Amino acid sequence: MEKINHPDLIEMFKMQVKVLNDLLDEQETAHALEAEMNIQRNQILHETSIDPLTDVYNRKYFETAANKILQQLDASIYTLLAIIDLDYFKQINDTYGHLIGDEALKTVGARLKTFALQKKAIVARYGGDEFLLICSSKERERLEDFAETLHRGLSALTVENDNTIVHLSFSIGLTIVNAAEPLSALLQQADTALYDVKKNGRGHFTFYRHHKD
């Protein structure tokens, strides 16, 4: 077979190779730009939805997510909302310093994230030393049992200051609904329950009960 070495054919082949390489470079660049945009998008989402100290969701994200859950609620599904208060947080700060106070909040956030994974719950920092949790179940009893598990698990938490072990205490107000209600109503109910806990000595949990005037 005769060897092809015509200058025009060789030049055409070189041009085709160059065009192909250019296309591959463009694709690689496009993929790199897309990857970078995804990283930046995820970073922005993280910054706008996550509390930087405790690494759980912030209040704004929680409100959006919780409202979606409540809008889809029907009589076959029960939803629990809890307000979790770290007892005597000011005393921890005053006694051991703000670094230990921050460490306590981080420890709470880490434990709540574990509960979130186990129970498909959403947890968030409500503000200061208060946290929020919302989760659903087809069985009310499961949610009632979970409330005890939640309080027991949190109450086992400690933080260390030099050679001192600081035991954390928690008050939790909860409410359970299985009908469409605004988030503001559930927060008010849980807050009322939390007030009852604090009024009766802190360190335990209770469910909202309708108060008679």
Side-chain angles (χ1 to χ4, degrees), residues 68 72 81 85 90 93 102 114 135 146 173 177-178 183-184:
K68 288 182 180 179
Q72 298 170 0
L81 185 137
D85 183 80
K90 183 178 185 302
N93 278 329
D102 286 351
T114 300
C135 62
F146 171 62
V177 297
N178 68 330
L183 177 61
S184 58

Side-chain angles (χ1 to χ4, degrees), residues 1-6 9:
M1 183 176 180
E2 184 180 355
K3 184 177 180 181
I4 299 175
N5 57 8
H6 193 284
L9 291 176

Side-chain angles (χ1 to χ4, degrees), residues 77 93 120 130 177 204:
I77 299 291
N93 278 329
K120 296 182 179 179
E130 289 188 335
V177 297
H204 59 283

